[in-house]
Amino acid sequence: LEEQTIVKITFTPIKPQGQTEMVGLIAILQDVTEEEKLDRQRKDFVANVSHELRTPLTTIKSYLEALEDGAIGEPELAMRFLKVTRQEADRMTRLIHDLLQLSRLDAKQARFNKKAINLTNMLEDVVDRFSFQCKQKNIQISLHAGRYLPHVYADRDKIDQVLDNLVSNAVKYTPDGGKISVYAKHRANGMIEVAIQDTGIGIPKKDLGRIFERFYRVDKARSRNMGGTGLGLAIAQEIVRAHDGEIWIESEYQNGTTISFTLPPCEPEVIG
Ligand code: ADP
């Protein structure tokens, strides 16, 4: 048994037939660590969802009350309050969208439309999509893709979402003047590896092991201020796993983060 093992013990008395006297006991030891862990995760998840939904609602309610109590008579103030209210409603919409997507992925109901995809083109597109945001923060973003990268067998929209989540994190958590590099290479085992490296705030060692958990954030306030739902990495992980790939993170606190994932190559006959 390991140190953190949770064991359920059941005792059954042994009574020879026709006797009332017990002559012994059978003890059955069951390792229920995994069940307990799942049960705790499920309860934590429900508590987290409730909390995450209640927070914006509380804000919306208090701003509406302030408007009712007279702020509506001051147009400038009223506009500010309405803006906050709308932003919080947007956050709830994002959260519910992410939750529904996770629940479809969990239930294996998400449909994957896998095809041969030119990954280099996709990565060029994602770098283009973020170039404006990067420019605003004076962040240099660049792509380094291997020359003869095979096509990958993947669902384009879903992988786009993974890339959006990962690159938007890199932008969010990298201060002005930083650098983001996107790499793609063909690994010796045949899989295609994509890595997104930033020179941002990094993640402390103690948090690294839990970073893919739903709603786990290093700094809750910072993540909320940036509009994050705390589900981006969890969704990315589910999507990558549904492609038989792996996703992992390396990070050095205050120095930067690299998040990498793999995708299967396309069998030659599927291309074209
Ligand atoms: P969020 O919506 O909070 O960004 P994610 O699931 O995308 O949620 O990420 C979870 C947490 O992981 C973030 O709150 C942040 O603390 C940390 N994180 C993710 N990507 C990075 C990164 N590139 N640099 C530093 N921290 C990161």
Side-chain angles (χ1 to χ4, degrees), residues 34 36 59 105 113 126 134 156 196 201 203 237 271:
E34 204 48 37
E36 287 287 322
T59 314
L105 287 163
N113 182 15
V126 75
C134 286
R156 193 183 171 109
I196 291 132
I201 61 172
I203 298 168
Q237 184 179 51
I271 302 176

Side-chain angles (χ1 to χ4, degrees), residues 169-170 172-173 198 201-203 211 216-219 223 228-234 257:
N169 277 348
K172 273 198 285 194
Y173 301 110
D198 66 54
I201 61 172
I203 298 168
I211 213 72
Y216 194 84
R217 296 130 152 168
V218 176
D219 180 341
S223 155
T229 60
L231 296 174
L233 287 183
T257 302

